[in-house]
Amino acid sequence: MMSQMPQPTALSKCPSCAEPLESGDRFCGACGYDLSAVPAPPDDAPTVVIDGSGPAEGAAWPGASAPAGSDTPPATHLPTDLQGTDSGGGELLAAPAAAAPEPPPTGNPVSPVTGVRFDHPSEPEEYPLQAPDPRVAQETPTPPEGVKVCVACRAGRVDHDGYCENCGHAQPRERDHMEQESGPIAAVSDRGLRHHRNEDAFAIGNAVLPDGRSAAVAIVCDGVSSATRPDDASLAASRAAGASLLAALPRGTHPQQAMHEAIVAASRAVNSLAAEPATAREHSPHQNAPACTIVGAVVTSDLLVVGWVGDSRAYWVPVDRASLPARLTEDDSWAAQMVAAGLMNEAEAYADERAHAITGWLGADAYELEPHTASFKPDRAGVVVVCTDGLWNYAEAAQEMAEAVPRDAAERPLHSAQVLVGHALDGGGHDNVTVAVLPFPAPPQGAGSA
């Protein structure tokens, strides 16, 4: 006789997602959380946007230089060893290599200030699958071929609502883990180990330029957890930006201008999500509008273009590991502003509890949109890593990222993206993890990965 399951503690809402519960519920109907053994409520410090109170008194917030024309984005000067040109056509001077890579921020501070973004919650809740009772699995006949089987007990049939008829577990949602390969580029996104859903999204694709050369495109977006529908925001932004790039490049639009236009298109797509019925927000009237960050890359046979808003990043990793890797983007964050203003060094800024407060994002609640773009002409082969902070929190410095990237990344981009996601999960998986890998130079059409 099987042992009796422990009785769930009487709760009015799910301890993991706050969904209202009914008497006798064994699993949460929204996220599948096992209510039979309810832990103490975790200290939750979700990812949020700063509330617009502005910089500390006396802080000299750096601004972008004036654009060269009304139809070009502002020039952006980046801390990179690669020579490139800014949006106005001027040369980007190479910054000296850092003496030593700074470690990522550690600890799990709890801020008394409302609106600060954190990436390391204090003792965040985990969402592991409950280990199945082997006796139950043995007693349950294996479903016929073609029938979806539960990922928890490996024996029960999954009903049309996405729950196992045997053990009751909610099955992983489609976005919990996504992989895609498109010619020579690939991307992987994973929910991570501490979040109940994946709020990241990506879009990848290939285009043919008017002169017949190939162009590879990758967009990665990270939903802002404090906002409503962050997963919808990241999905809308990635789809809009990807579609914009893949339409503009074949028309002959310069890749850097195409990237600028793609970010604007993504911003409009996210802004449109705020125009929802009043009833949709009646239970959470004080939440922010949907929001996300964005970073993208376009790679051709001789040009590398990046664009971003927020703190998702792009890195350059040369095939020749004797050459220096580089970070190609500058975070829209409190820490980056403090370093750029000369008020703190990088170690001091990232040790502060306000380090990951973002100062730029896509969404109706955002400040004036300022897309950042930059173009480069690398003189050697390499790969571009485009990722959310769910990865770079575990490989922040360019050298750390290069050490995590497999040496055959240019030949096996999908495998490399899988390895990088695994690196983040092995490090703790505190956040959703999304990464795209693009080899440079882009190979001709039809010469992608097998």
Side-chain angles (χ1 to χ4, degrees):
M1 177 177 171
M2 290 190 299
S3 59
Q4 185 178 0
M5 291 187 65
Q7 296 299 313
T9 304
L11 294 172
S12 60
K13 61 182 180 178
C14 175
S16 75
C17 69
E19 181 74 10
L21 301 174
E22 295 181 4
S23 177
D25 280 352
R26 292 169 51 191
F27 297 92
C28 174
C31 69
Y33 189 83
D34 182 4
L35 302 172
S36 62
V38 180
D43 293 332
D44 188 19
T47 298
V48 298
V49 173
I50 61 171
D51 58 9
S53 58
E57 184 176 352
W61 295 86
S65 58
S70 60
D71 60 344
T72 57
T76 304
H77 299 280
L78 305 174
T80 172
D81 293 298
L82 295 176
Q83 294 293 335
T85 56
D86 63 21
S87 304
E91 181 179 355
L92 285 175
L93 299 178
E102 297 289 350
T106 58
N108 43 20
V110 178
S111 173
V113 181
T114 302
V116 176
R117 169 177 180 162
F118 293 103
D119 293 277
H120 296 287
S122 177
E123 299 181 0
E125 184 60 77
E126 296 190 15
Y127 297 86
L129 290 172
Q130 180 185 17
D133 187 323
R135 292 165 295 183
V136 175
Q138 291 169 6
E139 295 169 6
T140 306
T142 302
E145 184 177 355
V147 175
K148 189 173 181 181
V149 178
C150 176
V151 299
C153 69
R154 303 294 183 182
R157 184 194 305 264
V158 178
D159 63 21
H160 66 280
D161 292 326
Y163 290 85
C164 177
E165 295 177 348
N166 173 42
C167 68
H169 262 292
Q171 302 303 292
R173 285 160 288 199
E174 180 182 0
R175 288 179 63 178
D176 281 359
H177 185 86
M178 301 178 291
E179 298 186 1
Q180 185 180 349
E181 193 169 23
S182 179
I185 60 178
V188 176
S189 181
D190 192 89
R191 185 188 69 181
L193 304 179
R194 306 298 181 94
H195 284 251
H196 73 276
R197 66 179 174 183
N198 189 358
E199 296 170 356
D200 289 356
F202 66 81
I204 60 174
N206 298 276
V208 179
L209 303 179
D211 60 6
R213 292 180 300 157
S214 299
V217 170
I219 296 290
V220 168
C221 297
D222 182 356
V224 178
S225 295
S226 66
T228 58
R229 301 160 59 197
D231 51 338
D232 290 343
S234 63
L235 185 62
S238 62
R239 286 178 173 175
S244 177
L245 281 169
L246 294 176
L249 293 172
R251 294 197 301 261
T253 305
H254 188 280
Q256 190 166 4
Q257 184 61 33
M259 179 63 74
H260 176 83
E261 294 171 358
I263 295 175
V264 173
S267 176
R268 290 172 180 161
V270 177
N271 290 350
S272 69
L273 297 178
E276 56 190 2
T279 55
R281 298 180 69 179
E282 62 183 1
H283 299 296
S284 53
H286 303 297
Q287 284 192 293
N288 298 327
C292 69
T293 67
I294 186 171
V295 63
V298 176
V299 172
T300 70
S301 61
D302 62 349
L303 188 67
L304 160 60
V305 171
V306 295
W308 74 98
V309 174
D311 64 348
S312 292
R313 294 180 175 180
Y315 290 83
W316 163 257
V317 179
V319 170
D320 175 12
R321 296 305 174 88
S323 303
L324 290 175
R327 174 155 63 94
L328 305 178
T329 56
E330 183 101 24
D331 297 346
D332 287 321
S333 71
W334 183 91
Q337 297 281 23
M338 293 298 102
V339 174
L343 301 178
M344 293 183 176
N345 63 38
E346 192 165 340
E348 293 170 338
Y350 279 97
D352 194 286
E353 63 181 15
R354 296 165 290 182
H356 288 277
I358 56 175
T359 58
W361 62 91
L362 305 183
D365 290 344
Y367 308 132
E368 183 178 357
L369 178 65
E370 294 185 28
H372 310 293
T373 65
S375 62
F376 305 90
K377 290 189 174 181
D379 60 358
R380 65 202 66 201
V383 294
V384 183
V385 176
V386 183
C387 64
T388 61
D389 56 353
L391 171 60
W392 68 252
N393 275 325
Y394 302 101
E396 183 175 353
Q399 187 59 46
E400 292 176 319
M401 184 64 72
E403 291 171 357
V405 173
R407 291 185 174 272
D408 60 353
E411 290 77 33
R412 302 176 66 195
L414 179 58
H415 171 260
S416 299
Q418 293 167 336
V419 168
L420 290 171
V421 169
H423 177 80
L425 298 181
D426 290 343
H430 286 77
D431 202 353
N432 306 144
V433 188
T434 302
V435 57
V437 177
L438 303 85
F440 177 90
Q445 285 288 333
S449 303

